[in-house]
Amino acid sequence: PSARAAVEASQRGYVVIAEDHEETRTYLCHVLERAGFTVDALADGRAALSSCQMRTPDVLVSDVRMPGLTGFELIERLRSDERTSVIPVLLLSAHGGEESRIDGIGAGADDYLVKPLSSRELIARVDGAVRLGRLRHETARREQADLDALFSMAPDGLVVVGPKGQILSANEQARKLFAYTAEEFRGLHVEALMPASHRAPHVGLREGYQRAPIVRLMNPLQELRCVRSDGAEFVAEIALGPLQFKNQPCTIAIVRDITERKKLELERAEAERRFRVLSS
């Protein structure tokens, strides 16, 4: 019977609760466990973040105001990590006004619950979030499979950049081009791939591109100076395009080293100049 109960609980869903108020935390845990969910109830945001990173839950139910990390800060940390970016988050607050709800949804929450809430409402909201989370994971799995196929066939370097400029993925060509391992690439900021003198202007360009409407066309090819992990610089031709990846709007960069082409162009221009001098 205990094994059957564990299977049923795992099918119903695994929920992490982040709530510093002990009475509320006990109530949430009691209702959800009785409904068949597996629950990990924690008293602060940092502990909840650590729990989500160690074992990805189907849903996170988080209070807005907590020690360590607030609910808003917890969402930001979850969304910036590809391991936890698709976890549905239900924010819990005593403030039920429209402005509070808008702030919660704007921060990235998937639902906003107002204390006190009935057990039936809590179970229904969590059930809906579990279905949403599983759908997201399946979608992310398919996206990753499609991206892996594209990455393996692409002759150029491909780099996926998150909303805040963090590199989420890069293919083998990009790793060879910039001389980074797959582990070194993950979490690296995209500005690290260009010389220091080019980084500040690029931040403004990147943020402007990210703020553009989601329906964006592939940018035309443009030249940009890049830098490898050992500090060696080279000239690249880069095109940017929109990509929905890990449940967030991202940018995919196609990078091609054109150092040799630029060298040949300079040599050709010099040869033409010399020819003109001789002709005159």
Side-chain angles (χ1 to χ4, degrees), residues 58 86-88 128-138:
D58 291 294
V86 300
I87 297 173
V130 168
R131 291 193 294 272
L132 174 64
R134 289 176 177 174
L135 177 62
R136 281 181 181 171
H137 280 291
E138 177 60 21

Side-chain angles (χ1 to χ4, degrees), residues 28-74:
L28 297 173
C29 189
H30 174 72
V31 169
L32 293 176
E33 285 184 336
R34 285 198 62 182
F37 294 96
T38 302
V39 181
D40 190 6
L42 302 156
D44 67 85
R46 291 194 185 281
L49 177 64
S50 177
S51 178
C52 290
Q53 290 171 336
M54 286 190 293
R55 178 189 173 190
T56 305
D58 291 294
V59 185
L60 168 68
V61 179
S62 174
D63 190 18
V64 172
R65 297 181 179 178
M66 294 181 295
L69 288 174
T70 67
F72 291 170
E73 292 169 336
L74 181 54

